[in-house]
Each structure stands twice: as C-alpha cells, then as structure tokens.
Amino acid sequence: MFIKKKQEMIKEKLIYYFSQNKCEGNAKMKNLLGGKGANLAEMCNIGIPVPPGFTISTSAYKNYYQGNGLPANLCSTIKEYMTMLENDTGCKFGDLNNPLLISIRSGSVSSMPGMLDTILNVGLNDTTVIGLARRSGERFAYDSYCRFIMMYSNIVLQLDHHLFQSVIDKEQQKNGAKSLADLNVDVLKKIVLSFKNIVHKKAEKYFPQNVEEQLLSSVNAVFASWQNDRAVSYRKIHNIPEDLGTAVNVQAMVFGNLNNNSATGVIFTRNPSTGEKKCFGEFLVNAQGEDVVSGSYTPIPINGEQENTMEKLMSNVYQELCEICKKLETHHKDMQDIEFTVQNGKLWILQTRSGKRTAEATIHIIVDMVKEGTITKEEGILKIDPKIFDNLLHPVLEAKGDQKVIGKGLPASPGVASGYVAFSANDAEKTAEQGKKVILVRSETSPEDINGINAASGMITARGGMTSHAAVITRGMGKPCICSVSGLYIDKNGSFFSVGDTIVDKGDPITINGGTGEIMLGILPTILPELSQEFKTIINWIDETKTIKVRANADTPKDAKIAKEFGAEGIGLCRTEHMFFANDRIEFIRRLIIADDKAERASALSKLEEMQKSDFKEIFSIMLGMKVTIRLLDPPLHEFLPSNQSTIEKMAKSLNKSVESVKNKIAQLSEKNPMLGHRGCRLAISYPEIYSMQARAIFSGVDELKKEKKVEIKPEIMIPFIMNEKEFILICKLLKKEAENFDVNYSIGTMIELPRAAMIAGNLAKHAEFFSFGTNDLTQTTMGLSRDDSVNFLNSYKGNNIFENDPFEVLDIEGVGELIKIAIEKGKKTRKELKLGICGEHGADPESIEFFIKLGVDYISCSPYRIPIAKLVAAQRSKCAKQSRKQ
Ligand code: PEP
Ligand code: MG
C-alpha cells in the first residue's frame, strides 16, 4: 500500500509549462499553480505577451515540505523544463555567448503581497555576465549582476540586505548619483567585487558560479520562504491556511533596466483608492520590478498632468498596455493589478491578479461593473469581503479644514486614524499591547514590518509610492496610510521625526488623514461618515437578494435612529435595563434593586415607568411600520450595583439611608454566580410589579402613539431567561392583565437562552408566539463557559486546537447549534407559524448566519453598526446567491 502511494506521488505531474506556443495550465488551476502561475498560464491562453516559463506546483511544495529539500525527481524535471525554455527563447542557461537569465518567483494560492521571496537575474556569473554585456551592453550587464548577487545573498545565503545596500549608498554618495541607474560601469564592477568579498567573508564560501546550483538553491529558498516569520504572521492575520504551500514560477527574464527605452511598473485597471474607471499606476524608466514595489524609489505616475508620465514618454506602449488592461479586466470580471516590463520598447506582462482596493473603491467598482453589464448584481455581492463594510463606516474628522497640517504626502489608503508615534514594528506592537493606538512612522516598509502594521491604527512612510508595499498592505487591511511625505526626516535613533519646522517625538499623539495625505498634531475628534449613494445602491441589491431579515439590537431612541440609518428591518432586541445605563438614570434602577420594601420599590418603579414609556413611544415612532421586540428587564445585579465608596455615599444620601444600611443591602444582594442568579424573569417571579410596570409603559406608550399617528402598532414583548413553562404562564397572565386597560394588539414570546428552555420548546410554544434565541447565554449555559471570565483560558483552547474559534463569536454548531435545531423542531411542531429570531452576538457572524439561514430562522438581530455586514453575509449565504455561485 505504502509503496503504491509512493509510486503515485512520483508519477504526479509537478511542473506546468506556459508560453505562447505551449501552455499546460489555466486560471482554474489556482490550487495547484498558485494565483500567479494560474494567471500567467491563462494570459498565455488568451494571447497576452508573457515571457515563457514554467510553474512548479504546490504539490511539489508538499513533497518538498514532507521530505528533506528538493526531491530528486523534481530536480530532474526542472532540468527538462529548462531545456524547453531554452528552445523557446533561443538562449542557453549558463552559456557564455547567449546566456538565458531567469526569475524565480513565489506564487501562493491566496495573494500574500511581498511576503514570500523572489529572485531575479538567476544565471549570471563571472562568465555569463560577459556574454550578457556583449549582447546587451556592459553597464546593463553589471547592473543586473549587482542586483542578482544582492538578492541571492539575502534570500538564499541569508545575508543581511543592508551589508550590500550600504556599499551602493556609499558609491551613490561618492558619485553624486540618486540610484543604481546613475552609476557607470566601472563603479558597478567595483560594487560586484565588493559584493563577492562580502559573501566570501560572511557566508564563508565563494558566490556560486554554477548556474544549476543557483537555480535549485533559489527554488529551494522560495519554497522555504513560505515558513518565514512575516509570511506566517500574514497568514495568521488574514486567516490563510498553513498547509496550502506556495508554487514557484521560473520565467525567462525580461529587462526593464536595459536602457532608457525600457521600464517597469505596476498598473491597476481602475483606481484602487477611489474606484474611478481609469487606469492608475506607476513606473520607473531603466529599472527592475523590485524598485517599484519595495518603496525604495518614488516612481512616476503612468498618466496624468505630470510631464514625464508613461503616457507621454512611451505613448504607443501605454496604449497597448491600456488595451491589455481592458482585456484582462473583462476576462477576469474584476479590477486587475498588473505588473509589466518594457524591454527596449516591447511590452511584457509579468503578472495579473485581482487588485487590492479600499472599501470605497470596492463599492464604486462593483456598482460600475454591474451597470456596465460586466457582472450581475449577485456576482457583485459575492465579490464583497464583509470586512470592508467595517471600513466603509470608518470615522472622518469632525471639523474639516481648520486643523494645522504639519506635513503632506500621497493619500495611499484612506480613513482617519489617531495614535501615538512609533518608529519600529516592535515599538508599535508594544504600544498597542498597552491598549494605546499607534501610528507607525517608517522611511519605507519591508515585509518584516507586517506585525507592526497590523498593530498600528495607521501609518506614514517617508518614501514609496501608491503601489509600494506599505500602500498595498494597509489598503488591504483598511488602515489609513500616507506615503512619500515630502521633507519628512526620521531620526536614525528612532526618537523623533521632523517635517518642515515641526518636530514630533516618539510617543507624541498625531492624527493622519489617509484620504487627503495630511498629518496633524494631537488626537483629533472624529465622527461617523454619511453613507454614499453607491453604498445605498449595494444595500438595496443585498435586500433584494437575501432571504432572512436583519433587525437591530437597539436599546434607546438614539440606537434606534442609528439602526434605521444602517438599514435595520426592525428591532429584534431592546434590552430595557440598558435604558438606564446613562449617568442620570442609573440611580433609579439601583433604587429599584436595593428597595427594602414594596413602597420603596413602587416609588422607584413609578419613576422608571415614566422614562420607559417616553422611550418606548419614541422608539416605536422611529421604527414605525417595522417590528420592535421589547425584552423585559434582565439586569444581572452585579452590572448595576455601585461598588465604589463615593457612589454608595451619594446613593445613601439621596435615599435618606445610612451608608451602612446601603452597604448591607448590597452585600445581601451579592451573588456568587450573578449570571445564573436572580435575573430575567426570576426577578418578576419575586417582584411581579416590575414586569407589570413595564407592560403598562409599553401598552400606554403604544396606545398613545397609535392614536397620534393613526397607524396600527403591534409590539412584541419578550420574556428573558425562561426555563419552565409555568414561569411563562405566570408572566403572560401578568402582562395580559395590564393589557386589558389599553387598546393594543401585541404578541408575547420567549427568549431561548437556557438548555432546558430548548428541551421544553414544544410546551413553551403552546403559549409563546415567537422564540428569540439568546445565543450568548445559551452558549454560556450549554458549554458551562462564563461569558465574563472565559477569555482568560479560551486562548489555550484555541492554541491546542480544541476550539477553532471563540464560541461566543462563532456559534458552536455541533453543541449549541444542535440545541437550537431541537428547539425549532419542537416549537414548530406545536405552533406551525412560530416566528424565529436570533438576538445573541452570533447574529452578525458569517458562519453562524449561514447556519441560521439553513434552519429557516426568520430574522437575525445585531448591533446597529454591524447591520450592513450581517445583511451582506445574509445575501451571500442565501440560496439565490449560492445558485449564482454554482453557475
Ligand atoms: C443572549 O443571552 O444572547 C442575549 C441576547 O441576552 P443578553 O446578552 O442580554 O444576556
Ligand atoms: Mg441573555
């Protein structure tokens, strides 16, 4: 059995060729070829000019990972494919006269920009460089050799990049040059010598002259880069599975650094910041690809007003590039991020992928593409990552225009962020760990900074363009970023930065506006933005598509207004005890809780009744025409009782009691397990007047509003923490008695938040017209996990793979989900028309929503700000979206 498996493994095809003449892959093979490899093959299939090459598959990576280095069969197949590549290009690998040079690039299944390694110009040594010089010029040949030694030494030999960069910096300074392109061939030859000496000294070996060794070691290093720290961090941040591995693309080099008729650049088929339908990009003349993306140079825009744009300097190539952009975007039905090289006037495309974009751009592009007929509404909805809806609601500066701007750069990723200045990824992480917001300020970013960027709320770089690493990464994370701030100087010791006349120390607070590129001093106040028309259009399409309603958890008239603004289709949970959280109100609920007798309770209740009636009236008035579910009081006592001396003293004074007696009462009420204590309907079993008061407040408020507005309003009243049919019957009786005094229509339902309630759901449904699953408490009580305390050990559970997720965020479908299923089956058996809702925090979680849709739940309810996300996910996971996904 084992032997058979081993043979199969060896027979498996591990390498796939791509060129205009022969192409073994296509776009559907992403899992095997990685995103880059699959798209390179697809571009060959549709006639885009791509330099020929081959992709070593992710299966080969798996063989590599399980074994020890590159398997022998892989090495021999690589050699066979190199021969094919030599035939295709007419050049020979390692040949003195006509050397073939190759690039070796990673290509994972999910895009991980800049995290994995790439090596360019492989195949250069002391002899092939002479052949290359004869073919293409000496300066170019030595420029390429310098770049190759530097990259190879860093990635394969693991030598510090700065060892090499400092040699270049010194020579540039000495020769008054701005970049490598400005250095003459003699200086470049000198640099090559210095580089080789560094390798000899630091790696204790000569720089490898054997091109096959260069090739195989490079493939090995690119595979190994899957496990480097930054890639591991990036996968954690973006939830990319560890076991996917990367493919490796070996491709004939084309040279953007050949001469001044050569260039390299990145182009987006639409603007990735705004979504505007116009090609957007940057390029550098006489340079190689890494120069643009690394942020070490500030590239020039492709088009626009500026003098030296590609549109003006290389107009024919620019036109051809725009045509290719159109073709690729239509083919992939998505905005593309394309890397290209111009070699002596000939355009080559090196990569295409779906472009990372801001939340605003995502919405803009989808609305445009649906209107153009490129995609359907459902396809558009499926393209939206729910996380970007959070970003769309990111805050904007409250006061516009009147803050002092101390510096300005490129608006690389929009949004406003305030925080304390940190100059290193480490510092950023440490500051964030202290619970402080951070703005990370760097000369340029490198992929090593990924954890710091993740910890920061926003970032600034002194160098780099709109397509630099920092810009791409922050846009993907939805964080504000400003690049290339003119005149920004960062102190070498990382203790301050200066811009113009202003000096900002490490730890000083600043605010950045990534939409305008402006830096301001201090933490400036922000407000929520108005929702754009395009956002509203998308929400309308989502509403047409989804099959489940999305209501809000809203406790006050203010919440109700926000909920409506965000598209709530009713209120699924109004926690009435939260109406008293405000400073000027909490005293009254405390008075109720610590009342010594009926009279004191009655006095507190009458004040509460006034407040509740007016709040209910306002909430129903805001939500006119929509369902509103009012949950009767459920105050876990510990959340409401005062604990500090001064509040207790104040309370004693206002109640005309001694501090001692108030303290005694608090001690008497204190519970060891308040979450399982005297809360919910249990309070009303002890003190029925509490729920009677609430019922009167609801009914009288609704009765008055009905008459004023001349419309029908039918409140839904929900009883919390029910575990017993008799509890429910008793409270129903209480409510019905109060209703007799008013002209109101209403329904009464129960929360299901205890396992026993789920198990007796059939009996509860005899009296309850609706169920709303309180999945917070249901998770707490089913799993025996405290909602308040378990955070302390949940991480070890996740670390040991016992839990994949926090069960208070993502529903435990296997356990808690099963109880919900049982309760629904039992409840529906008794009452066919039983209405079902979810009001725990799981109402906004994508995986949980899909489960609730499958169970036939009528609505989910979540906090107002999460409504757009919940609606989007509901639409994506609803049947009709699923069908279109299958097509
Ligand atoms: C719940 O338990 O899920 C619920 C919504 O109620 P609360 O969070 O108020 O206990
Ligand atoms: Mg609850």
Side-chain angles (χ1 to χ4, degrees), residues 573 575 577 631 634 636 675 679 720-721 751-753 773-778 780 787 839-840:
L573 174 65
R575 293 176 163 107
E577 64 280 3
R631 187 190 63 191
D634 177 14
M675 274 299 192
R679 60 176 286 208
F721 233 59
M751 289 193 75
I752 304 279
E753 44 193 342
F773 290 90
T775 49
N776 305 332
D777 274 315
L778 193 58
Q780 169 166 257
R787 282 167 71 168
C839 63

Side-chain angles (χ1 to χ4, degrees), residues 249-301:
N249 298 291
V250 177
Q251 198 173 14
M253 281 293 299
V254 284
F255 298 97
N257 58 334
L258 188 60
N259 51 31
N260 283 338
N261 196 21
S262 303
T264 185
V266 176
I267 188 165
F268 289 82
T269 55
R270 303 188 187 215
N271 186 310
S273 289
T274 62
E276 189 195 358
K277 190 180 174 184
K278 188 175 176 202
C279 286
F280 173 93
E282 294 171 327
F283 84 124
L284 281 170
V285 174
N286 202 350
Q288 282 200 336
E290 297 310 297
D291 300 339
V292 178
V293 288
S294 71
S296 308
Y297 300 88
T298 301
I300 303 154

Side-chain angles (χ1 to χ4, degrees), residues 594 596 652 657-666 668:
I594 66 160
D596 276 323
K657 293 187 177 192
S658 70
V659 173
E660 219 38 50
S661 71
V662 172
K663 276 190 174 167
N664 284 346
K665 185 71 189 181
I666 292 173
Q668 198 184 324

Side-chain angles (χ1 to χ4, degrees), residues 268-282 335-336 355-365 388 391-392 394 409-415 465-468 470-472 474-476 478-483 513-517 534:
F268 289 82
T269 55
R270 303 188 187 215
N271 186 310
S273 289
T274 62
E276 189 195 358
K277 190 180 174 184
K278 188 175 176 202
C279 286
F280 173 93
E282 294 171 327
M335 185 263 261
Q336 297 293 295
K356 297 234 180 281
R357 65 206 81 177
T358 63
E360 284 83 355
T362 306
I363 296 302
H364 192 110
I365 291 169
I388 67 130
N391 302 337
L392 274 176
H394 55 58
L410 295 174
S413 179
M466 298 288 279
T467 53
S468 65
V472 170
T474 49
R475 268 202 295 274
K479 295 184 179 190
C481 176
I482 302 174
C483 288
N513 185 344
T516 59
E534 281 155 344

Side-chain angles (χ1 to χ4, degrees), residues 209-485:
Q209 296 294 309
N210 180 325
V211 291
E212 268 176 20
E213 180 191 338
Q214 291 178 1
L215 164 63
L216 295 178
S217 303
S218 300
V219 172
N220 195 75
V222 173
F223 270 156
S225 71
W226 178 257
Q227 292 299 341
N228 71 33
D229 291 348
R230 59 180 195 257
V232 172
S233 297
Y234 188 91
R235 287 198 291 278
K236 269 200 194 122
I237 294 165
H238 293 273
N239 277 332
I240 298 173
E242 274 297 300
D243 59 357
L244 290 181
T246 183
V248 176
N249 298 291
V250 177
Q251 198 173 14
M253 281 293 299
V254 284
F255 298 97
N257 58 334
L258 188 60
N259 51 31
N260 283 338
N261 196 21
S262 303
T264 185
V266 176
I267 188 165
F268 289 82
T269 55
R270 303 188 187 215
N271 186 310
S273 289
T274 62
E276 189 195 358
K277 190 180 174 184
K278 188 175 176 202
C279 286
F280 173 93
E282 294 171 327
F283 84 124
L284 281 170
V285 174
N286 202 350
Q288 282 200 336
E290 297 310 297
D291 300 339
V292 178
V293 288
S294 71
S296 308
Y297 300 88
T298 301
I300 303 154
I302 293 267
N303 46 22
E305 307 291 289
Q306 217 169 300
E307 267 307 295
N308 48 357
T309 62
M310 185 177 183
E311 188 178 11
K312 289 176 188 138
L313 293 177
M314 301 179 167
S315 71
N316 287 346
V317 182
Y318 174 76
Q319 292 311 331
E320 192 192 346
L321 182 60
C322 290
E323 285 306 312
I324 288 177
C325 282
K326 227 187 266 168
K327 191 169 178 181
L328 284 173
E329 184 180 280
T330 314
H331 187 74
H332 288 284
K333 294 185 171 189
D334 200 3
M335 185 263 261
Q336 297 293 295
D337 163 357
I338 298 164
E339 282 178 24
F340 65 88
T341 284
V342 181
Q343 177 176 289
N344 207 12
K346 159 102 180 99
L347 177 65
W348 293 97
I349 305 298
L350 302 183
Q351 166 162 331
T352 189
R353 60 183 167 190
S354 283
K356 297 234 180 281
R357 65 206 81 177
T358 63
E360 284 83 355
T362 306
I363 296 302
H364 192 110
I365 291 169
I366 286 171
V367 171
D368 276 357
M369 282 190 162
V370 170
K371 288 188 178 159
E372 288 156 18
T374 313
I375 53 173
T376 64
K377 288 177 190 171
E378 282 77 18
E379 282 171 335
I381 290 169
L382 284 171
K383 277 183 189 296
I384 305 172
D385 176 350
K387 277 188 235 127
I388 67 130
F389 268 34
D390 268 341
N391 302 337
L392 274 176
L393 308 173
H394 55 58
V396 292
L397 282 175
E398 190 172 27
K400 283 185 187 119
D402 44 5
Q403 312 85 3
K404 185 172 181 295
V405 174
I406 59 161
K408 201 161 176 195
L410 295 174
S413 179
V416 171
S418 297
Y420 299 90
V421 170
F423 292 105
S424 71
N426 254 348
D427 272 351
E429 279 190 272
K430 277 191 202 139
T431 313
E433 272 162 23
Q434 292 160 14
K436 285 191 191 162
K437 300 238 184 268
V438 189
I439 304 293
L440 180 59
V441 182
R442 306 276 288 147
S443 293
E444 64 206 34
T445 59
S446 81
E448 267 78 22
D449 292 332
I450 184 71
N451 284 327
I453 301 175
N454 191 38
S457 300
M459 86 167 299
I460 300 174
T461 64
R463 290 191 265 179
M466 298 288 279
T467 53
S468 65
H469 176 259
V472 170
I473 295 286
T474 49
R475 268 202 295 274
M477 289 181 171
K479 295 184 179 190
C481 176
I482 302 174
C483 288
S484 203
V485 178

Side-chain angles (χ1 to χ4, degrees), residues 703-736:
D703 198 2
E704 275 181 28
L705 191 67
K706 260 173 63 175
K707 286 177 184 137
E708 280 167 31
K709 302 272 181 191
K710 301 194 174 30
V711 285
E712 185 49 41
I713 302 168
K714 188 179 174 190
E716 296 176 337
I717 303 175
M718 180 155 80
I719 309 173
F721 233 59
I722 287 288
M723 60 159 165
N724 186 304
E725 187 185 354
K726 286 184 193 145
E727 283 175 323
F728 195 81
I729 295 171
L730 208 84
I731 291 166
C732 265
K733 220 159 114 195
L734 205 78
L735 304 180
K736 283 182 181 158

